[in-house]
Amino acid sequence: MAGSHSKNVSVLIPVYSEVDSLAETVRLTLENLGGRTHEILLLVHEKSRPECWELCQRLAQDIPQVQVHRQQRYPGQGYAYRQGIEIARGDLLLFLNSDLETEPRHIGRLLERMETGAYDLVVASRWARGSAFDRASYGKLKWVLNFCVQHAFALLTLTPISEFTFAYKLARRDLFQRVVWEGTGHEFAFESTLKPVLLGWRVSQVPTSWVGRREGTSHQPFWRNLRHIMLGLRLVARRYFNPKLFRRENLN
């Protein structure tokens, strides 16, 4: 991707009632993307609090790059991201959460790696060397299970990538818009890294940090993490048992 330094970025942010953390996310994103920001797409859940809707409209009025879109399909964060992928027009897609669990100050790390021209997708890893993980906020059991899942799928796919389940990543829009996505909830974060790996894209990672959200509560029950594993196993099986069909099924 020669000359990638000139690529502009569409930022995809699902929103569910966040206010203070959303405002900070948008501020830091603009600060770290600068003139590279083509658009910031706020994909807002229809049941978000009135204060959240008011903030989104105010951001759109004050910042030309901000657009507010009501999420069209439910339930699930995956549907929001998929909607954003369809309507985005920037050269690159930046996936962020609105609760500051995805650290906007590390956007430069993703951009720098992508600018080498050697990769189609760069993921932010909470497990790579130089990363930081707030284990206390995450929960010990959940942390151990997450660690095991990451390493299991790294072995299954024979890739050095240490992060599959985090939503924070930077990707080429032209490639992402060709993929048939299946995840509807938080498992989309897993699919949007695993499927590119299985399709043979050039994938890299950079370290990031993770801390628990400062506002609101998670809408992801612990048991629902099983959807990540089931989807992952299904994709790996399809890829290795019928590789030609896998590519035809997963690309438009």
Side-chain angles (χ1 to χ4, degrees):
M1 200 163 62
S4 63
H5 61 277
S6 62
K7 301 292 185 181
N8 55 36
V9 181
S10 290
V11 185
L12 280 52
I13 307 178
V15 179
Y16 196 154
S17 288
E18 293 83 3
V19 178
D20 293 339
S21 59
L22 172 60
E24 184 74 352
T25 295
V26 171
R27 183 186 71 80
L28 290 171
T29 298
L30 287 168
E31 186 177 294
N32 286 274
L33 270 178
R36 301 281 295 275
T37 309
H38 180 73
E39 58 194 355
I40 297 178
L41 305 179
L42 303 182
L43 306 153
V44 188
H45 195 285
E46 62 184 1
K47 294 183 179 179
S48 289
R49 294 180 294 155
E51 304 96 301
C52 176
W53 282 107
E54 291 170 6
L55 171 67
C56 291
Q57 296 300 333
R58 188 162 66 250
L59 289 171
Q61 291 173 2
D62 295 342
I63 304 170
Q65 298 97 323
V66 172
Q67 300 177 23
V68 181
H69 297 270
R70 183 184 296 267
Q71 185 174 333
Q72 297 298 310
R73 299 178 69 186
Y74 297 91
Q77 187 187 78
Y79 276 135
Y81 276 128
R82 287 165 57 178
Q83 181 178 334
I85 292 170
E86 291 177 4
I87 63 178
R89 291 295 177 265
D91 301 304
L92 303 173
L93 302 177
L94 176 63
F95 296 78
L96 284 172
N97 290 341
S98 56
D99 54 14
L100 291 175
E101 289 186 353
T102 49
E103 174 54 81
R105 294 179 181 87
H106 295 165
I107 289 173
R109 301 179 183 181
L110 295 160
L111 284 171
E112 183 178 2
R113 184 62 55 86
M114 185 67 83
E115 285 173 351
T116 65
Y119 302 105
D120 305 310
L121 170 66
V122 180
V123 300
S125 174
R126 299 164 293 179
W127 304 95
R129 180 175 298 179
S131 62
F133 209 134
D134 179 7
R135 301 185 191 181
S137 296
Y138 202 71
K140 185 175 181 180
L141 176 60
K142 188 177 178 182
W143 185 90
V144 170
L145 292 176
N146 192 304
F147 178 86
C148 293
V149 168
Q150 310 296 351
H151 283 72
F153 279 91
L155 289 173
L156 284 172
T157 57
L158 301 177
T159 177
I161 297 297
S162 62
E163 179 69 75
F164 287 90
T165 60
F166 202 27
Y168 197 8
K169 61 199 70 176
L170 182 68
R172 287 176 49 182
R173 175 181 62 85
D174 59 335
L175 291 180
F176 256 60
Q177 288 184 336
R178 292 179 56 207
V179 175
V180 178
W181 301 108
E182 303 169 46
T184 61
H186 284 70
E187 75 276 5
F188 175 79
F190 193 10
E191 180 190 13
S192 56
T193 295
L194 179 60
K195 191 170 281 185
V197 168
L198 294 173
L199 286 168
W201 294 8
R202 304 168 301 167
V203 182
S204 184
Q205 66 181 16
V206 295
T208 191
S209 59
W210 184 93
V211 294
R213 60 166 64 223
R214 301 183 311 198
E215 181 182 11
T217 58
S218 173
H219 299 280
Q220 172 75 347
F222 180 75
W223 63 266
R224 217 175 264 172
N225 290 295
L226 293 174
R227 294 173 63 174
H228 292 68
I229 299 173
M230 298 308 297
L231 175 62
L233 292 175
R234 188 164 68 248
L235 291 175
V236 171
R238 280 161 48 190
R239 164 65 179 83
Y240 286 107
F241 285 110
N242 201 331
K244 292 183 179 179
L245 182 60
F246 176 83
R247 292 190 64 88
R248 290 201 300 273
E249 283 182 340
N250 290 286
L251 292 175
N252 290 324

